[in-house]
Amino acid sequence: MGRRYDPDRRQRIIDAALRVVQEKGLAGLSHRTVAAAADVPLGSTTYHFATLDELMVAALRQANERFGEMLAGEVELWESGSDLAGGLARLLGEWLQGDVGRVELEYELYLGALRRPALKPVAAEWAESAGELLSRRTDAVTARGVVALMDGICLQVLLTGVEYDEGAAREVLGRVIEG
């Protein structure tokens, strides 16, 4: 019997890896658990991703794209004179009020870079791309500070269980942006 043509298999494997991390954490991620979740043979996962690091890089890159697309899609934020701090605070609120499990998953992958050097460049990509977007409205140093502040706000909400306060986020983001 010949091979079955399956052009979406690689993507299904990445999606399955994201589900496994969301359900079991990074510690539960293996080629075997991903193959089972994707309903593909074990050899398919190792064919597309020789190492778990390669699979985690692909998963983190996909997770990063979600917020990056959300941020880039806020066209009015990038127009001069718009309320950048208010728009960013609203956007963070929408993101955090959405699928919290998905946000936790993205941060787990992002923070996985602390122990997995292969993930560090991908984690840096998100910060760099967000900083580049913010540099349309502010200087590069302030843009990096805003990215760090947004990360900090999200982590505090996720780790402490404190409810997201859009007004407070707008206030502190405004202080950083306005100097």
Side-chain angles (χ1 to χ4, degrees), residues 61-79:
R61 189 164 277 130
Q62 182 170 309
N64 284 349
E65 289 172 1
R66 180 174 164 243
F67 188 78
E69 289 170 1
M70 195 173 169
L71 187 60
E74 293 291 316
V75 177
E76 68 275 0
L77 286 181
W78 314 120
E79 296 173 2

Side-chain angles (χ1 to χ4, degrees), residues 12 17 57 70 82 121 126 128 145 152 155 168 170:
R12 281 200 336 269
V57 163
M70 195 173 169
S82 69
W126 179 86
E128 289 169 16
L155 280 171
R170 193 261 168 254

Side-chain angles (χ1 to χ4, degrees), residues 21-22 66 96 98-107 158:
V21 173
Q22 188 168 6
R66 180 174 164 243
L96 289 166
D99 183 355
V100 176
R102 184 76 176 190
V103 175
E104 290 172 347
L105 155 73
E106 291 168 4
Y107 266 97
L158 293 171

Side-chain angles (χ1 to χ4, degrees), residues 113-129:
L114 292 170
R115 301 251 184 236
R116 295 206 177 251
L119 293 176
K120 286 186 181 195
V122 183
E125 284 173 15
W126 179 86
E128 289 169 16
S129 65

Side-chain angles (χ1 to χ4, degrees), residues 8-174:
D8 299 324
R9 184 171 288 193
R10 184 177 194 281
Q11 184 59 52
R12 281 200 336 269
I13 292 168
I14 295 169
D15 293 341
L18 291 168
R19 285 193 310 275
V20 168
V21 173
Q22 188 168 6
E23 293 168 11
K24 301 177 181 184
L26 279 176
L29 187 71
S30 70
H31 282 287
R32 191 169 306 283
T33 59
V34 171
D39 193 27
V40 300
L42 178 59
S44 287
T45 63
T46 57
Y47 171 80
H48 289 286
F49 303 98
T51 67
L52 278 180
D53 280 350
E54 286 179 21
L55 181 55
M56 283 192 273
V57 163
L60 178 56
R61 189 164 277 130
Q62 182 170 309
N64 284 349
E65 289 172 1
R66 180 174 164 243
F67 188 78
E69 289 170 1
M70 195 173 169
L71 187 60
E74 293 291 316
V75 177
E76 68 275 0
L77 286 181
W78 314 120
E79 296 173 2
S80 180
S82 69
D83 179 13
L84 181 59
L88 291 173
R90 177 187 48 75
L91 191 64
L92 282 179
E94 289 172 8
W95 191 57
L96 289 166
Q97 301 302 320
D99 183 355
V100 176
R102 184 76 176 190
V103 175
E104 290 172 347
L105 155 73
E106 291 168 4
Y107 266 97
E108 183 162 0
L109 284 166
Y110 184 62
L111 293 173
L114 292 170
R115 301 251 184 236
R116 295 206 177 251
L119 293 176
K120 286 186 181 195
V122 183
E125 284 173 15
W126 179 86
E128 289 169 16
S129 65
E132 286 174 17
L133 278 171
L134 290 165
S135 291
R136 295 178 185 177
R137 293 286 310 277
T138 187
D139 64 276
V141 171
T142 301
R144 284 193 306 273
V146 169
V147 169
L149 178 57
M150 291 187 326
D151 265 343
I153 290 169
C154 289
L155 280 171
Q156 283 185 355
V157 168
L158 293 171
L159 295 174
T160 65
V162 171
E163 190 170 320
Y164 176 70
D165 182 341
E166 186 174 319
R170 193 261 168 254
E171 176 70 25
V172 72
L173 284 163

